[in-house]
Structures are given as structure tokens and as C-alpha cells.
Amino acid sequence: MGLVVYGVIAAMALVAVISVMITPGAERHLLSVLPLPILALGLGWITLVSPSVVFTDEALEVNNPLKKTVVPYGQIELVETTRGFTVTTPEGKVSAWAAPPPDRLSAERMDPRDPLLWKDPRRLTDESQSIRTSAAPGTYSGDAAVNLTHRRAQQQRDAGTPIGPVVRTQNVVNTVVLITTVLVVGALIAI
């Protein structure tokens, strides 16, 4: 979904720049118009396109706008979906931008009495055997939690895999995009 929204933003930025370029006499305003599309494209990339949740054979990789966290499955103590996909490790919590809970309208449309929801083999239930909408299959946070549950069960079957530490690093690409965007926009505004 983030890629679709970013595509719309990129198309709008392109239309804005082209409209200024083809309008007679407006070329002189191009430098004053250019910072906004550049800012929208740079920040859109960082917040809409790059966040992801990746499941490898050994670990969960959470790519947030400026941080990348690799969490070995054995380090995960708790999985939550209430306010988005979040895992708790001995070193703290890791929340994923790419797996938010469903919005209020989507949550209201989910009927817990729906027999298809109860028959779905991917569903996760809490202690009372009820399904929280944020953990339901078909939602970003629910699908991430279900996938993680299956990966952890598979890893437990393949016992003997050494458990590594949680690794938090700077998302270098996004940091470079952010710095470049700010510098270019600042330079254009200063002109």
C-alpha cells in the first residue's frame, strides 16, 4: 500500500514540475516550486516505501525509517499486535512501521462471528479464544504475527540452531536519502 501511495505522490510531484515548466513565463518560478516535490519524494521514500518486515530462516528483520533491527527467533519473548506488530526481546521492544494494526473502519467491519474467520488456519487467538482484530489474518499486523508464529515453531523443530544477539543498526540508505533531501531542499530555498 505504501508503494501505491508513493506512486501517487511521485506522479503529483512530476505533474507539478512539468506544469511549471510548460506554463509560459513560469520557468522562473521553478526553483521556488522544486523544494516541495523533492521533499515529498525523499520523505515519502523513507516513510512509505522502505519500511518492511522480513522473515529469514534464522531471524526477523524489521526495517524502520532510520533503524534496522535483526532479531533472532530465539530472542523473541512476546509478540503483540494491539498497536501494530511489536516483538519484545530481553533488550526491549521492536515495533514495525510496515505492520500497523487495521484502521478503525476495517476493524469494525470484521465480524468475530464470521465462520470463515474461525476456520482460517492462520488465525491467532488469545487466552479467551477470541480473535483480536489486530491479530486477524488479512491485516498487516496479524499476517506478520502469524508468519512469525509459524517461523518460530519451525525453528523449534530444527532445535540446535545457535541464538545470536539482537542487532540494531542505522538504516544507511534512508539516512543518506534524508540528509541529501534536506541539503538539496535547503540549497534550493537559499537560492
Side-chain angles (χ1 to χ4, degrees):
M1 185 63 181
L3 192 56
V4 171
V5 173
Y6 185 72
V8 170
I9 290 171
M12 290 170 43
L14 184 63
V15 166
V17 170
I18 290 174
S19 67
V20 170
M21 289 173 56
I22 64 171
T23 303
E27 306 87 28
R28 65 179 183 273
H29 299 294
L30 183 60
L31 289 179
S32 63
V33 171
L34 215 49
L36 190 56
I38 290 173
L39 189 63
L41 290 173
L43 294 180
W45 176 267
I46 293 168
T47 59
L48 297 172
V49 177
S50 71
S52 63
V53 176
V54 180
F55 298 93
T56 66
D57 291 336
E58 300 84 26
L60 164 70
E61 185 178 301
V62 177
N63 296 303
N64 284 333
L66 297 177
K67 292 284 182 194
K68 176 181 177 181
T69 307
V70 178
V71 182
Y73 296 126
Q75 292 280 4
I76 298 172
E77 297 174 343
L78 180 65
V79 179
E80 299 173 81
T81 60
T82 306
R83 291 182 177 85
F85 180 66
T86 304
V87 294
T88 303
T89 70
E91 298 175 17
K93 291 187 176 192
V94 178
S95 297
W97 277 51
D103 59 66
R104 185 175 299 228
L105 185 59
S106 297
E108 287 177 5
R109 288 183 178 161
M110 288 183 204
D111 184 3
R113 297 168 302 205
D114 182 6
L116 293 177
L117 187 62
W118 284 100
K119 290 179 183 176
D120 193 324
R122 302 174 299 160
R123 69 181 173 84
L124 292 178
T125 56
D126 60 14
E127 298 79 32
S128 67
Q129 294 302 305
S130 63
I131 298 175
R132 183 179 298 139
T133 56
S134 62
T139 64
Y140 295 119
S141 56
D143 285 346
V146 169
N147 198 344
L148 178 61
T149 300
H150 291 298
R151 293 286 182 146
R152 288 175 69 193
Q154 180 182 13
Q155 190 189 40
Q156 287 174 354
R157 285 192 301 269
D158 303 338
T161 306
I163 299 172
V166 175
V167 179
R168 298 173 195 262
T169 57
Q170 188 73 24
N171 191 328
V172 177
V173 173
N174 285 353
T175 303
V176 169
V177 169
L178 179 63
I179 292 169
T180 304
T181 300
V182 169
L183 290 175
V184 170
V185 168
L188 288 171
I189 289 173
I191 292 178

